[in-house]
Amino acid sequence: ASRVEVPFEKIAKPASEWWRGSTGESVKAILGPSGARTLQELEFGRGTAHHGLIAGRIGSGKSTLLHALITSLATSYSPSELELYLIDFKEGVEFKRYALHSLPHAKVVAVESEREFGVSVLQRLDQLIVERGAQFKNLDAKNLIEAREKHGQPIPRVLLLVDEFQMFFQEDDRLSSEAMTLIDRIVRQGRSYGIHILFASQSLAGSASLPRPVMDQMGVRIALQCSDADSRIILADDNPQARLLSRPGEAIYNDKNGLIEGNNRFQVAFLNDEVQEQMLSQIAAGAKKAGWTRVPIVFEGNAPAVLEDKFPLSEQVMGAWQAPPKRILGFVGEPIAIKAPTALGFRRQSGSNALLMGQDEMLTTAMLTTTLFSLAAQLSPKHANFWVLDFTPIEDDATSPLETLRDGLPHPFRLGKRRELPQFLEALSTELKTRMELENGVTGLPSHFLVIAGAARARDLRPDENAGYNIDESASETPAQQLSKLLREGPELGIHTLISCDTVANLNRTLERRSIGELDMRVVLQMSNEDSSTLIDTPAANKLGSNRALFYSVEEGKLEKFRPYRIPNSAWLTQIAGLLKNKQV
């Protein structure tokens, strides 16, 4: 008797009426029945109802409400009328289905999102306000309704939906302050430009929430089962009615800023997962038939980045070889923001070497692999030489991705183990000496990239173990001295070094402090506060989780969090390498 369930498909619009709605006046979404004969709709864009809040404890039906809302919007309006930015901060995959079906309305879908990514979405909406402000000024329009009339074509409304939005403010830091500033600006200015915000949370109590001036801008309030305190926050101090809600899905809709006379009870329509999957498939098929090819930007928090999904250099691979760029990019992962992939940038200048630090050697090897692969895609075989010393352990039945690169790329690619270290360093030292003596510079000479993977096991580089090496007697320098000189003098002459190591203690045993200082680009995985502060001047790496890394540029003082690429599929590497072989030099 306490279970009330109204199937969403019973109240939804038939497929023949999908995408017929217009967001010119406002945007509406069916939420469920209100009484026996009426339906409760959420509406933004009319009166003071431009932004909204949703609150409901665990099990109250909040997730069901969000899915019903999104599905209702996606069936009512075409992508030219409505754009969605969907962000979920909590652990789970609630919004992943919209990415899997490439919901054409979705510009962004974030699952288990990071605060940095959320802030980048707010920055994008803030920029959209600036862009629409200039557009409306040219049209001599005061708001979206006038702009659409004068423009003659749909200007879509935009809805940002954030679940567990209080994660923006979980720490009192720069990100929290920036998020608050952006949210305040969007809720105040966005309404004129058709940009709306809907925030949802299990609880609005506590310090990590919105200040009262911002809350007052949220004209629409939806309260599911919640405590007396949350009811008074989301509705009004004298409106505790939400604490009286007795069953999952029962809710109060209030579009009068929480005033008690604005309460309207309704039942959230239950949207079965299978039914929603069918509807999303129909929407995707209809979008494809109508020529919609837009794919949302997808951020999946705890999943590693996949280079194969969107290789940044696809155009370079398919085109003819170009002249070497002044800044050669080695891609290492996807950023925790809406921006270009994170990359090491190699220039012919002092310090242009890279250090990759972390005990997860699979990840550091993956980043070395994607970096070298990216370099090879930009530089023709006559403009790049690779020298790779691999000290990382490989399982007996596994093939190193570095071996795949050696066998597949058309570039000069030497892959060695411990015994080849003296010969590699000697050959590069000779090349360095030759280039230092050139009078006309090294502009036209190829770049050389030396990689030392797993430097912690390169015992022969340690000063107290060099004497045992049987190297050319004519050479007056030890391997450690040769490497130090390559790090110091090499980058300006087109010889760059990339080193991976597991711990700072092992790095200090392998390289001199002066040599470490020549590694200006640093990628770090999770490590202790002390080690993090030593390498990147901040303890931030101690807070990194799985599939997270920080990129730090000593020269620029830039710190960027990103998701490292996993080891690319060997078949894909071989395929792209084959395309590089067929290009004309």
Side-chain angles (χ1 to χ4, degrees):
S2 64
R3 182 179 179 87
V4 176
E5 189 175 288
V6 180
F8 179 82
E9 58 269 31
K10 296 293 185 182
I11 62 172
K13 296 180 179 180
S16 59
E17 297 182 14
W18 289 2
W19 288 20
R20 292 189 179 183
S22 169
T23 60
E25 298 289 336
S26 65
V27 57
K28 299 179 182 179
I30 299 174
L31 301 180
S34 177
R37 299 178 180 273
T38 60
L39 297 177
Q40 180 62 58
E41 292 181 324
L42 177 143
E43 183 176 15
F44 284 150
R46 211 181 283 276
T48 60
H50 298 280
H51 312 287
L53 288 171
I54 299 174
R57 63 164 63 111
I58 295 175
S60 64
K62 176 168 65 69
S63 295
T64 300
L65 171 61
L66 295 180
H67 288 308
L69 167 65
I70 295 170
T71 306
S72 178
L73 292 171
T75 55
S76 298
Y77 304 104
S78 73
S80 63
E81 292 284 344
L82 179 67
E83 294 178 352
L84 299 174
Y85 291 75
L86 308 176
I87 299 177
D88 188 357
F89 278 116
K90 69 179 182 295
E91 294 184 5
V93 291
E94 292 290 350
F95 288 171
K96 189 173 182 179
R97 64 191 69 176
Y98 305 113
L100 293 175
H101 289 276
S102 294
L103 183 68
H105 305 74
K107 296 278 283 186
V108 169
V109 178
V111 182
E112 294 182 315
S113 183
E114 291 272 353
R115 296 166 69 223
E116 290 86 350
F117 186 84
V119 169
S120 75
V121 173
L122 294 176
Q123 291 169 343
R124 175 68 190 97
L125 294 181
D126 187 52
Q127 179 60 34
L128 183 60
I129 289 176
V130 175
E131 294 170 2
R132 288 196 172 183
Q135 182 186 19
F136 288 14
K137 184 177 181 180
N138 291 335
L139 294 171
D140 192 25
K142 296 180 180 179
N143 51 45
L144 182 70
I145 297 174
E146 291 184 11
R148 285 172 62 107
E149 291 176 353
K150 295 182 178 181
H151 188 53
Q153 294 181 357
I155 299 175
R157 287 187 183 269
V158 175
L159 175 62
L160 168 64
L161 198 164
V162 183
D163 196 9
E164 301 305 331
F165 73 92
Q166 73 277 6
M167 293 295 291
F168 276 125
F169 318 113
Q170 67 174 349
E171 295 184 29
D172 186 12
D173 58 5
R174 177 191 61 82
L175 279 176
S176 174
S177 176
E178 185 175 2
M180 183 57 68
T181 300
L182 290 168
I183 291 170
D184 183 67
R185 191 152 58 230
I186 293 169
V187 298
R188 292 179 187 277
Q189 301 179 18
R191 58 187 180 183
S192 298
Y193 303 106
I195 300 174
H196 311 283
I197 288 178
L198 181 60
F199 284 160
S201 179
Q202 294 177 12
S203 174
L204 299 179
S207 59
S209 192
L210 297 171
R212 178 53 63 180
V214 176
M215 291 272 288
D216 290 341
Q217 298 292 326
M218 303 291 196
V220 175
R221 315 289 176 83
I222 301 176
L224 295 106
Q225 285 178 301
C226 58
S227 66
D228 182 85
D230 280 327
S231 177
R232 294 178 186 275
I233 292 174
I234 190 173
L235 296 175
D237 291 337
D238 60 348
N239 190 356
Q241 296 300 306
R243 67 181 176 84
L244 302 176
L245 299 175
S246 60
R247 62 177 182 269
E250 188 180 15
I252 294 175
Y253 182 91
N254 188 306
D255 59 3
K256 300 186 183 302
N257 287 77
L259 295 178
I260 194 166
E261 57 266 27
N263 286 355
N264 188 28
R265 289 201 182 195
F266 72 100
Q267 179 69 31
V268 175
F270 178 73
L271 182 56
N272 181 277
D273 289 346
E274 293 183 2
V275 172
Q276 188 186 27
E277 291 283 344
Q278 293 174 2
M279 298 179 79
L280 291 176
S281 296
Q282 281 184 269
I283 292 171
K288 185 177 181 180
K289 186 176 181 180
W292 285 96
T293 58
R294 185 171 68 198
V295 177
I297 297 172
V298 178
F299 178 84
E300 192 170 351
N302 288 329
V306 181
L307 184 67
E308 302 97 292
D309 285 351
K310 192 176 182 182
F311 186 40
L313 300 169
S314 296
E315 293 183 3
Q316 286 90 326
V317 170
M318 301 304 297
W321 290 113
Q322 303 294 322
K326 291 185 177 179
R327 182 169 180 260
I328 314 164
L329 300 178
F331 293 98
V332 291
E334 293 290 339
I336 311 292
I338 301 177
K339 61 185 291 294
T342 303
L344 309 175
F346 295 93
R347 302 175 185 268
R348 294 197 172 185
Q349 65 182 30
S350 177
S352 190
N353 303 302
L355 172 66
L356 287 76
M357 289 291 303
Q359 297 189 36
D360 188 341
E361 290 189 299
M362 183 174 292
L363 269 184
T364 55
T365 299
M367 288 187 283
L368 286 175
T369 302
T370 57
T371 296
L372 295 181
F373 197 64
S374 301
L375 299 176
Q378 297 166 80
L379 300 172
S380 71
K382 69 178 183 180
H383 288 127
N385 289 268
F386 300 105
W387 307 72
V388 182
L389 290 162
D390 187 6
F391 293 91
T392 59
I394 299 296
E395 300 294 335
D396 293 339
D397 59 345
T399 301
S400 167
L402 298 172
E403 292 181 13
T404 303
L405 292 186
R406 178 199 61 189
D407 298 337
L409 291 175
H411 303 69
F413 197 109
R414 301 164 183 83
L415 180 61
K417 296 290 186 179
R418 182 182 64 84
R419 294 181 181 276
E420 285 77 26
L421 185 145
Q423 290 89 339
F424 277 32
L425 294 180
E426 181 65 26
L428 286 171
S429 296
T430 301
E431 177 68 21
L432 177 65
K433 183 178 180 181
T434 301
R435 295 190 176 196
M436 293 177 71
E437 295 173 352
L438 293 176
E439 297 181 358
N440 298 325
V442 295
T443 302
L445 296 180
S447 296
H448 291 263
F449 297 93
L450 169 64
V451 175
I452 302 177
R457 299 179 185 85
R459 299 176 180 273
D460 309 320
L461 290 175
R462 298 178 184 180
D464 59 339
E465 298 182 25
N466 288 327
Y469 255 102
N470 182 21
I471 61 175
D472 187 355
E473 294 180 358
S474 63
S476 59
E477 294 178 318
T478 65
Q481 292 170 332
Q482 290 173 331
L483 178 59
S484 178
K485 194 169 185 178
L486 286 169
L487 288 169
R488 186 173 64 255
E489 306 290 348
E492 291 180 284
L493 301 174
I495 303 175
H496 308 276
T497 302
L498 298 86
I499 296 174
S500 71
C501 192
D502 54 358
T503 65
V504 172
N506 283 332
L507 181 68
N508 290 332
R509 277 195 289 267
T510 305
L511 299 180
E512 299 175 350
R513 183 178 297 273
R514 182 175 61 177
S515 296
I516 297 174
E518 297 295 335
L519 298 157
D520 275 6
M521 293 178 287
R522 301 177 182 182
V523 174
V524 298
L525 304 179
Q526 188 177 40
M527 58 182 59
S528 68
N529 283 334
E530 183 179 355
D531 287 351
S532 177
S533 298
T534 299
L535 286 176
I536 60 174
D537 295 332
T538 172
N542 184 48
K543 298 181 180 180
L544 293 174
S546 61
N547 295 311
R548 293 289 187 281
L550 290 171
F551 168 59
Y552 177 69
S553 171
V554 175
E555 178 191 12
E556 302 174 8
K558 178 179 74 172
L559 186 68
E560 179 181 320
K561 185 190 287 188
F562 68 98
R563 291 185 301 144
Y565 288 126
R566 72 178 188 192
I567 293 178
N569 181 275
S570 59
W572 180 84
L573 283 177
T574 302
Q575 178 188 1
I576 303 299
L579 295 175
L580 295 176
K581 280 186 177 180
N582 294 329
K583 291 174 67 171
Q584 294 182 354
V585 179

